[in-house]
Amino acid sequence: MSNQQHKVISTELLFQPYTVQKLNLSSRIVMSPMARAFSPDGIPGADVAAYYRRRAEQGVGLIITEGATIEHPSASSEPRIPHMYGEAALQGWAEAVRQVHAAGGKIFPQILHMGIVRPSGSQPHPEAASLSPSGVDIEGNQVSEPMTEEEIITVIKAYADAAVNAQRIGFDGIELHGAHGFLIDQFFWKTTNRRTDRYGGDLQKRTQFAVELVKAVRAAVGPDFPIAMRISQWKMNDYQARLFDTPQQLGQFLSLLVDAGVDIFHCSTRRFWEPEFEGSDLGFAGWVRKLSGQTTITVGSVGMPDEPEAGADEAKHPGMSELMKRFDHQEFDLVAVGRALLGDPAWAAKIREGRVSEIQPFTPEALATLH
């Protein structure tokens, strides 16, 4: 898109304040959680704190950190993925929180357990078995034993403990990773959840694990601490996977999670502009907001180039005009930006000030450092 076109697209709405629960955000731009694995032994250092601070300084209202693991031996596949437990890791996170707050931003950690997408034998605990609802991997293969009820109780408590840790050191809320085929999502998806107890069966029963988990977190952190959940149709190995074939199914699912205590839904799609269900041009976030009434974050190729990479099987990116049109129609409340913010920490400020030609594009090389 040319600079001339950019000048006629007002992005002013992205920089309006927003309040959810008692949390006041200075802008509608969210930094999307992106795994970076720059935390040796799970401990985020000064470089991690500075990485998040740089985005807050440049107009990002809410930082959602890369996934931080609960205290469970098979939560992680890599020793450099940060923890949300242990005093050394929590001190590192406390410094990141302090720096983001000093820059005028707010910050949530994303809390996760990988479940069966963690390769067997992974560090830092190669002896630990990877968990899943039914011992089925995301390809649908039986690879291990189902989680026992005791394991389920242990994992839920570890999520609640991680949330309390985050609250104690000053985070402004938390996000639970319920998307992309990670553990919570493995319970949602009928391919990986073949249980016959109260955690398996129809969609409502497959949501029971998440409902109990959210209720435990809500009881632990109190009524005013925001709880977000990232949700998706797609899985890491299958972009065509679907949890919901109809708005009615999605609505039932959302109502269970809202009743449990979710305040914010972070709606992960590959392309924010693509219609989610036939007969409507509403995207995934638009449907979630319409059906739940809760604060909704859209994400999916926001701020990426108009033209896809050569040879990529991608729809042409409609650019900021489509984003702002949908935002103006109140399809969603907040806009999460991932790769564009990796490529340029000042992306938000440059968008606000009309300095679009100065934006540094994302390249794979950006993943090699905490830029």
PDB file of all heavy atoms in Angstrom, residues 338-355:
ATOM      1  N   GLY A 338       1.731  -9.256  15.978  1.00  0.00           N
ATOM      2  CA  GLY A 338       2.804 -10.183  16.275  1.00  0.00           C
ATOM      3  C   GLY A 338       4.067  -9.877  15.499  1.00  0.00           C
ATOM      4  O   GLY A 338       4.913  -9.091  15.928  1.00  0.00           O
ATOM      5  N   ARG A 339       4.191 -10.490  14.326  1.00  0.00           N
ATOM      6  CA  ARG A 339       5.451 -10.390  13.573  1.00  0.00           C
ATOM      7  C   ARG A 339       5.833  -8.953  13.244  1.00  0.00           C
ATOM      8  O   ARG A 339       7.024  -8.612  13.256  1.00  0.00           O
ATOM      9  CB  ARG A 339       5.342 -11.212  12.290  1.00  0.00           C
ATOM     10  CG  ARG A 339       5.341 -12.717  12.526  1.00  0.00           C
ATOM     11  CD  ARG A 339       4.920 -13.491  11.295  1.00  0.00           C
ATOM     12  NE  ARG A 339       3.502 -13.279  10.997  1.00  0.00           N
ATOM     13  CZ  ARG A 339       2.905 -13.713   9.892  1.00  0.00           C
ATOM     14  NH1 ARG A 339       3.602 -14.345   8.949  1.00  0.00           N
ATOM     15  NH2 ARG A 339       1.610 -13.505   9.705  1.00  0.00           N
ATOM     16  N   ALA A 340       4.837  -8.092  12.969  1.00  0.00           N
ATOM     17  CA  ALA A 340       5.180  -6.704  12.649  1.00  0.00           C
ATOM     18  C   ALA A 340       5.876  -6.022  13.820  1.00  0.00           C
ATOM     19  O   ALA A 340       6.779  -5.202  13.621  1.00  0.00           O
ATOM     20  CB  ALA A 340       3.927  -5.927  12.251  1.00  0.00           C
ATOM     21  N   LEU A 341       5.481  -6.365  15.056  1.00  0.00           N
ATOM     22  CA  LEU A 341       6.141  -5.789  16.235  1.00  0.00           C
ATOM     23  C   LEU A 341       7.488  -6.439  16.520  1.00  0.00           C
ATOM     24  O   LEU A 341       8.347  -5.828  17.153  1.00  0.00           O
ATOM     25  CB  LEU A 341       5.242  -5.924  17.468  1.00  0.00           C
ATOM     26  CG  LEU A 341       4.295  -4.764  17.754  1.00  0.00           C
ATOM     27  CD1 LEU A 341       3.386  -5.098  18.925  1.00  0.00           C
ATOM     28  CD2 LEU A 341       5.066  -3.474  18.049  1.00  0.00           C
ATOM     29  N   LEU A 342       7.668  -7.671  16.067  1.00  0.00           N
ATOM     30  CA  LEU A 342       9.000  -8.272  16.165  1.00  0.00           C
ATOM     31  C   LEU A 342       9.970  -7.550  15.245  1.00  0.00           C
ATOM     32  O   LEU A 342      11.122  -7.302  15.594  1.00  0.00           O
ATOM     33  CB  LEU A 342       8.966  -9.751  15.769  1.00  0.00           C
ATOM     34  CG  LEU A 342       8.576 -10.790  16.799  1.00  0.00           C
ATOM     35  CD1 LEU A 342       8.862 -12.180  16.255  1.00  0.00           C
ATOM     36  CD2 LEU A 342       9.316 -10.573  18.098  1.00  0.00           C
ATOM     37  N   GLY A 343       9.489  -7.245  14.039  1.00  0.00           N
ATOM     38  CA  GLY A 343      10.348  -6.590  13.063  1.00  0.00           C
ATOM     39  C   GLY A 343      10.698  -5.176  13.445  1.00  0.00           C
ATOM     40  O   GLY A 343      11.795  -4.696  13.132  1.00  0.00           O
ATOM     41  N   ASP A 344       9.779  -4.476  14.118  1.00  0.00           N
ATOM     42  CA  ASP A 344       9.998  -3.071  14.463  1.00  0.00           C
ATOM     43  C   ASP A 344       9.328  -2.754  15.802  1.00  0.00           C
ATOM     44  O   ASP A 344       8.103  -2.649  15.877  1.00  0.00           O
ATOM     45  CB  ASP A 344       9.419  -2.168  13.376  1.00  0.00           C
ATOM     46  CG  ASP A 344       9.882  -0.719  13.522  1.00  0.00           C
ATOM     47  OD1 ASP A 344      10.270  -0.322  14.641  1.00  0.00           O
ATOM     48  OD2 ASP A 344       9.854   0.002  12.514  1.00  0.00           O
ATOM     49  N   PRO A 345      10.120  -2.582  16.877  1.00  0.00           N
ATOM     50  CA  PRO A 345       9.543  -2.253  18.186  1.00  0.00           C
ATOM     51  C   PRO A 345       8.719  -0.964  18.163  1.00  0.00           C
ATOM     52  O   PRO A 345       7.828  -0.783  18.998  1.00  0.00           O
ATOM     53  CB  PRO A 345      10.761  -2.098  19.093  1.00  0.00           C
ATOM     54  CG  PRO A 345      11.868  -2.802  18.402  1.00  0.00           C
ATOM     55  CD  PRO A 345      11.587  -2.696  16.942  1.00  0.00           C
ATOM     56  N   ALA A 346       9.016  -0.081  17.205  1.00  0.00           N
ATOM     57  CA  ALA A 346       8.322   1.213  17.125  1.00  0.00           C
ATOM     58  C   ALA A 346       7.150   1.177  16.150  1.00  0.00           C
ATOM     59  O   ALA A 346       6.647   2.233  15.762  1.00  0.00           O
ATOM     60  CB  ALA A 346       9.313   2.308  16.718  1.00  0.00           C
ATOM     61  N   TRP A 347       6.687  -0.015  15.783  1.00  0.00           N
ATOM     62  CA  TRP A 347       5.606  -0.132  14.799  1.00  0.00           C
ATOM     63  C   TRP A 347       4.396   0.723  15.184  1.00  0.00           C
ATOM     64  O   TRP A 347       3.861   1.466  14.352  1.00  0.00           O
ATOM     65  CB  TRP A 347       5.191  -1.596  14.653  1.00  0.00           C
ATOM     66  CG  TRP A 347       4.120  -1.847  13.642  1.00  0.00           C
ATOM     67  CD1 TRP A 347       4.285  -2.070  12.309  1.00  0.00           C
ATOM     68  CD2 TRP A 347       2.697  -1.890  13.877  1.00  0.00           C
ATOM     69  NE1 TRP A 347       3.056  -2.258  11.691  1.00  0.00           N
ATOM     70  CE2 TRP A 347       2.070  -2.142  12.635  1.00  0.00           C
ATOM     71  CE3 TRP A 347       1.896  -1.738  15.010  1.00  0.00           C
ATOM     72  CZ2 TRP A 347       0.686  -2.251  12.496  1.00  0.00           C
ATOM     73  CZ3 TRP A 347       0.518  -1.840  14.886  1.00  0.00           C
ATOM     74  CH2 TRP A 347      -0.076  -2.094  13.637  1.00  0.00           C
ATOM     75  N   ALA A 348       3.964   0.645  16.442  1.00  0.00           N
ATOM     76  CA  ALA A 348       2.756   1.368  16.852  1.00  0.00           C
ATOM     77  C   ALA A 348       2.951   2.875  16.723  1.00  0.00           C
ATOM     78  O   ALA A 348       2.076   3.587  16.209  1.00  0.00           O
ATOM     79  CB  ALA A 348       2.381   0.995  18.284  1.00  0.00           C
ATOM     80  N   ALA A 349       4.075   3.371  17.187  1.00  0.00           N
ATOM     81  CA  ALA A 349       4.328   4.813  17.115  1.00  0.00           C
ATOM     82  C   ALA A 349       4.388   5.281  15.667  1.00  0.00           C
ATOM     83  O   ALA A 349       3.876   6.360  15.325  1.00  0.00           O
ATOM     84  CB  ALA A 349       5.627   5.146  17.837  1.00  0.00           C
ATOM     85  N   LYS A 350       4.995   4.497  14.803  1.00  0.00           N
ATOM     86  CA  LYS A 350       5.109   4.882  13.395  1.00  0.00           C
ATOM     87  C   LYS A 350       3.738   4.867  12.708  1.00  0.00           C
ATOM     88  O   LYS A 350       3.457   5.717  11.859  1.00  0.00           O
ATOM     89  CB  LYS A 350       6.105   3.973  12.684  1.00  0.00           C
ATOM     90  CG  LYS A 350       7.550   4.221  13.131  1.00  0.00           C
ATOM     91  CD  LYS A 350       8.533   3.229  12.527  1.00  0.00           C
ATOM     92  CE  LYS A 350       9.953   3.510  13.006  1.00  0.00           C
ATOM     93  NZ  LYS A 350      10.934   2.521  12.486  1.00  0.00           N
ATOM     94  N   ILE A 351       2.894   3.920  13.075  1.00  0.00           N
ATOM     95  CA  ILE A 351       1.520   3.904  12.545  1.00  0.00           C
ATOM     96  C   ILE A 351       0.781   5.158  13.008  1.00  0.00           C
ATOM     97  O   ILE A 351       0.118   5.849  12.218  1.00  0.00           O
ATOM     98  CB  ILE A 351       0.780   2.631  13.012  1.00  0.00           C
ATOM     99  CG1 ILE A 351       1.320   1.389  12.294  1.00  0.00           C
ATOM    100  CG2 ILE A 351      -0.728   2.769  12.827  1.00  0.00           C
ATOM    101  CD1 ILE A 351       0.942   1.282  10.838  1.00  0.00           C
ATOM    102  N   ARG A 352       0.915   5.476  14.274  1.00  0.00           N
ATOM    103  CA  ARG A 352       0.186   6.622  14.835  1.00  0.00           C
ATOM    104  C   ARG A 352       0.633   7.930  14.188  1.00  0.00           C
ATOM    105  O   ARG A 352      -0.193   8.827  13.936  1.00  0.00           O
ATOM    106  CB  ARG A 352       0.405   6.679  16.349  1.00  0.00           C
ATOM    107  CG  ARG A 352      -0.367   7.805  17.022  1.00  0.00           C
ATOM    108  CD  ARG A 352      -0.240   7.765  18.523  1.00  0.00           C
ATOM    109  NE  ARG A 352      -1.261   8.594  19.159  1.00  0.00           N
ATOM    110  CZ  ARG A 352      -1.502   8.624  20.462  1.00  0.00           C
ATOM    111  NH1 ARG A 352      -0.788   7.859  21.281  1.00  0.00           N
ATOM    112  NH2 ARG A 352      -2.446   9.394  20.950  1.00  0.00           N
ATOM    113  N   GLU A 353       1.917   8.042  13.934  1.00  0.00           N
ATOM    114  CA  GLU A 353       2.478   9.300  13.438  1.00  0.00           C
ATOM    115  C   GLU A 353       2.534   9.360  11.912  1.00  0.00           C
ATOM    116  O   GLU A 353       3.062  10.335  11.353  1.00  0.00           O
ATOM    117  CB  GLU A 353       3.877   9.482  14.034  1.00  0.00           C
ATOM    118  CG  GLU A 353       3.848   9.647  15.551  1.00  0.00           C
ATOM    119  CD  GLU A 353       5.187   9.383  16.203  1.00  0.00           C
ATOM    120  OE1 GLU A 353       6.200   9.290  15.458  1.00  0.00           O
ATOM    121  OE2 GLU A 353       5.233   9.244  17.446  1.00  0.00           O
ATOM    122  N   GLY A 354       1.999   8.352  11.237  1.00  0.00           N
ATOM    123  CA  GLY A 354       1.996   8.360   9.776  1.00  0.00           C
ATOM    124  C   GLY A 354       3.361   8.120   9.155  1.00  0.00           C
ATOM    125  O   GLY A 354       3.575   8.453   7.983  1.00  0.00           O
ATOM    126  N   ARG A 355       4.277   7.534   9.926  1.00  0.00           N
ATOM    127  CA  ARG A 355       5.634   7.282   9.410  1.00  0.00           C
ATOM    128  C   ARG A 355       5.739   5.851   8.876  1.00  0.00           C
ATOM    129  O   ARG A 355       6.681   5.119   9.168  1.00  0.00           O
ATOM    130  CB  ARG A 355       6.657   7.531  10.517  1.00  0.00           C
ATOM    131  CG  ARG A 355       6.698   8.976  10.992  1.00  0.00           C
ATOM    132  CD  ARG A 355       7.831   9.226  11.974  1.00  0.00           C
ATOM    133  NE  ARG A 355       7.604   8.594  13.274  1.00  0.00           N
ATOM    134  CZ  ARG A 355       8.484   7.807  13.877  1.00  0.00           C
ATOM    135  NH1 ARG A 355       9.638   7.503  13.294  1.00  0.00           N
ATOM    136  NH2 ARG A 355       8.210   7.304  15.070  1.00  0.00           N
TER     137      ARG A 355
END
